[in-house]
């Protein structure tokens, strides 16, 4: 086990047992031999961080991503990595393609060997080819449109791709709830939403679920009354939504406001607690497929949550957790490579297998896509909880939902 991984697991286990609030408190009680060493790497290790700190992506994604990266950096640096320290060059991509491309190219021109961050699939569609051209590692902690890591040997992602996450969620939820007819509403412009729609449709078709109506929206739309009227006229037993956060919450709210009963479940990949809070009662009973959940017992997860709360005064979300895990995965690869050379880091990342993270046992497939166990969850009493742990998983789809007010 490499040094970074050994320290991370020790820190996580001891934090869970004795309740330490941060890994720097643990450093003082470890012997020198317990501290990780980054053989062949000394001094400052600069890493580019590209996140949306302005624009539409800042609130839903960017600030959480930045906090996750920074918390992991502080923990890793406090481990006294054989004289090496990680530093960040943080750039605001302004939630745009141009901002993301410009940020990556500027960092590559400065000689940075690794850039992390990148929220949107529409950004990595442009950045990952640049990674190949510049031979710079691009490691997205959040984007998840299917197949994007194959755009470059230097491209890696932490979030489960839609073609991995969505079929698993469809199969589990349908087996339990028994829905046979669904409506789909998706953003036909956004690449992530389109990818999600395609994978959801394929998964539904495979298990014999009929799509009774498909409604499209576009990023920036605010009035979904026409789509809701069409869905209400159908005999859908559930509504599948594939959209980014801003449109997602409006679709969920407007659906219930239009009179769609809560017995018609929402199925919403990548739903977060923040979005549930915005939607309120309209989110009750929604099924989601996600990468991380607060109640998970993965090694170090509860310590991460506690440290995040104490440091930032807010609750973590999946984007913070995925970014936190990303930096630990990267630090382990740098340690294994014994070098900050981008090709060496690329090769070390590609060899990551069953690495312990707060997301679970993490591996990369041959294309640089993440592999770990997806989480199927449900909104119950305003909280996102494991689907199998909720009695809502056993409710009748056709009208016996105790939250149904219609």
């Amino acid at each position: 086990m490499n040094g970074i991984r050994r320290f991370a697991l020790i820190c996580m286990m001891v934090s869970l047992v004795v309740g330490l609030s941060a890994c720097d408190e643990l450093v003082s009680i470890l012997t020198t031999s317990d501290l990780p060493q980054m053989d062949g790497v000394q001094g400052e290790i600069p890493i580019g961080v590209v996140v949306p700190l302005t624009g539409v992506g800042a609130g839903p994604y960017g600030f959480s991503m930045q906090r996750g990266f920074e918390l992991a950096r502080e923990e890793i640096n406090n481990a006294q990595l054989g004289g090496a320290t990680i530093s960040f060059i943080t750039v605001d991509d302004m939630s745009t393609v141009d901002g993301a491309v410009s940020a990556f190219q500027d960092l590559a021109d400065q000689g940075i060997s690794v850039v992390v961050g990148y929220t949107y699939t529409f950004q990595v569609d442009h950045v990952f080819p640049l990674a190949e051209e510049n031979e710079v590692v691009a490691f997205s902690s959040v984007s998840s449109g299917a197949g994007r890591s194959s755009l470059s040997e230097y491209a890696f992602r932490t979030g489960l791709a839609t073609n991995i996450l969505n079929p698993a969620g469809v199969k589990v939820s349908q087996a339990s709830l028994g829905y046979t007819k669904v409506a789909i509403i998706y953003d036909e412009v956004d690449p992530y939403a389109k990818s999600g729609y395609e994978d959801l449709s394929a998964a539904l078709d495979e298990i014999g679920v009929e799509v009774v109506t498909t409604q499209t929206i576009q990023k920036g739309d605010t009035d979904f009354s026409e789509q809701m009227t069409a869905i209400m006229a159908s005999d859908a037993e559930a509504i599948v939504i594939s959209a980014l956060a801003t449109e997602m919450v409006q679709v969920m709210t407007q659906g219930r406001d239009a009179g769609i009963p809560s017995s018609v479940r929402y199925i919403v990949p990548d739903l977060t607690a923040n979005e549930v809070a915005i939607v309120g009662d309209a989110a009750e009973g929604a099924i989601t497929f996600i990468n991380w959940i607060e109640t998970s017992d993965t090694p170090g997860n509860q310590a991460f949550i506690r440290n995040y709360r104490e440091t930032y005064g807010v609750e973590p979300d999946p984007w913070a957790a995925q970014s936190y895990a990303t930096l630990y995965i990267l630090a382990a690869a740098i340690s294994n490579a014994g070098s900050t050379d981008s090709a060496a880091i690329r090769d070390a990342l590609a060899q990551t297998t069953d690495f312990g993270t707060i997301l679970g046992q993490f591996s990369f497939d041959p294309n640089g896509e993440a592999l770990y166990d997806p989480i199927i969850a449900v909104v119950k009493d305003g909280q996102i909880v494991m689907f199998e742990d909720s009695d809502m998983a056993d409710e009748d789809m056709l009208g016996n939902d105790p939250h149904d007010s219609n």
Side-chain angles (χ1 to χ4, degrees):
M1 187 178 291
N2 66 71
I4 291 284
R5 184 179 182 185
R6 183 176 66 248
F7 174 78
L9 293 177
I10 292 170
C11 178
M12 290 171 181
M13 290 187 290
V14 176
S15 294
L16 286 169
V17 173
V18 303
L20 295 174
S21 63
C23 285
D24 59 336
E25 293 177 298
L26 180 58
V27 171
S28 63
I29 65 173
L30 293 174
T31 66
T32 302
S33 62
D34 289 321
L35 295 176
Q37 304 295 313
M38 299 184 77
D39 297 334
V41 182
Q42 296 291 323
E44 185 177 294
I45 304 171
I47 293 172
V49 177
V50 178
V51 290
L53 300 178
T54 58
V56 296
Y61 308 108
F63 299 139
S64 293
M65 294 168 67
Q66 183 181 39
R67 289 191 288 260
F69 285 130
E70 289 179 346
L71 183 61
R73 179 192 61 187
E74 293 310 304
E75 291 178 359
I76 293 167
N77 284 347
N78 285 338
Q80 302 173 4
L81 309 179
T85 59
I86 292 173
S87 65
F88 287 162
I89 303 174
T90 302
V91 184
D92 175 16
D93 64 30
M94 300 174 288
S95 307
T96 67
V97 170
D98 288 345
V101 168
S102 175
F104 185 88
Q105 193 60 62
D106 287 348
L107 290 164
D109 290 344
Q110 293 177 48
I112 302 300
S113 57
V114 181
V115 182
V116 300
Y118 290 108
T119 304
Y120 296 107
T121 299
F122 65 72
Q123 292 176 324
V124 301
D125 282 344
H126 296 268
V127 168
F128 283 176
L130 285 178
E132 186 73 14
E133 179 183 332
N134 289 272
E135 299 184 351
V136 171
V137 172
F139 194 167
S140 171
S141 62
V142 170
S143 72
S144 57
R148 267 47 183 201
S149 290
S150 62
L151 294 171
S152 171
E153 291 183 351
Y154 287 84
F156 298 87
R157 297 197 294 176
T158 305
L160 292 171
T162 57
N163 62 322
I164 297 173
L165 181 65
N166 290 350
V170 166
K171 290 176 182 178
V172 170
S173 62
Q174 195 280 333
S176 178
L177 298 175
Y179 52 82
T180 60
K181 298 179 179 181
V182 303
I184 297 179
I185 182 168
Y186 77 99
D187 185 333
E188 63 181 344
V189 174
D190 179 71
Y192 156 76
K194 289 174 63 179
S195 177
Y197 158 71
E198 292 166 359
D199 296 317
L200 289 162
S201 297
L204 290 164
D205 181 65
E206 183 179 342
I207 59 176
V209 174
E210 180 184 358
V211 177
V212 293
T213 183
T214 299
Q215 299 295 313
T216 60
I217 62 175
Q218 293 190 3
K219 188 161 44 182
D221 288 351
T222 58
D223 181 1
F224 306 111
S225 55
E226 182 178 339
Q227 292 89 342
M228 296 308 159
T229 298
I231 291 172
M232 288 184 68
S234 74
D235 53 354
E237 300 164 350
I239 300 173
V240 178
I241 303 170
S242 185
L244 293 172
T246 301
E247 290 72 33
M248 175 205 299
V249 298
Q250 294 181 77
V251 167
M252 295 176 71
T253 301
Q254 290 183 35
R256 297 299 183 227
D257 288 346
I260 297 175
S262 55
S263 56
V264 178
R265 297 284 191 101
Y266 287 138
I267 299 175
V268 194
D270 290 324
L271 184 65
T272 70
N274 291 335
E275 291 149 4
V276 170
I278 294 170
V279 175
D281 291 344
E284 192 69 17
I287 308 299
T288 189
F289 324 139
I290 51 180
N291 298 274
W292 173 86
I293 193 169
E294 285 194 6
T295 56
S296 173
D297 60 358
T298 51
N301 191 46
Q302 296 309 309
F304 158 71
I305 294 168
R306 183 172 57 250
N307 296 346
Y308 191 96
R309 287 172 179 160
E310 292 179 357
T311 302
Y312 302 110
V314 295
E315 296 294 318
D317 62 16
W319 322 128
Q322 290 172 216
S323 298
Y324 176 91
T326 295
L327 200 68
Y328 269 101
I329 295 163
L330 175 60
I334 294 172
S335 177
N336 284 338
S339 169
T340 57
D341 175 73
S342 59
I345 295 171
R346 174 202 63 193
D347 293 344
L349 281 170
Q351 294 168 17
T352 300
T353 304
D354 292 330
F355 181 76
T357 75
I358 63 173
L359 306 176
Q361 294 300 114
F362 186 101
S363 302
F364 285 117
D365 77 3
N367 291 320
E369 298 287 11
L371 296 174
Y372 50 93
D373 292 336
I375 295 168
I376 317 305
V378 60
V379 179
K380 181 180 181 182
D381 298 328
Q383 304 295 317
I384 296 178
V385 300
M386 293 283 196
F387 186 67
E388 64 268 24
D389 295 338
S390 170
D391 56 8
M392 297 181 77
D394 299 321
E395 291 167 5
D396 183 354
M397 281 292 298
L398 303 180
N400 294 334
D401 186 334
H403 300 284
D404 189 352
S405 59
N406 294 279

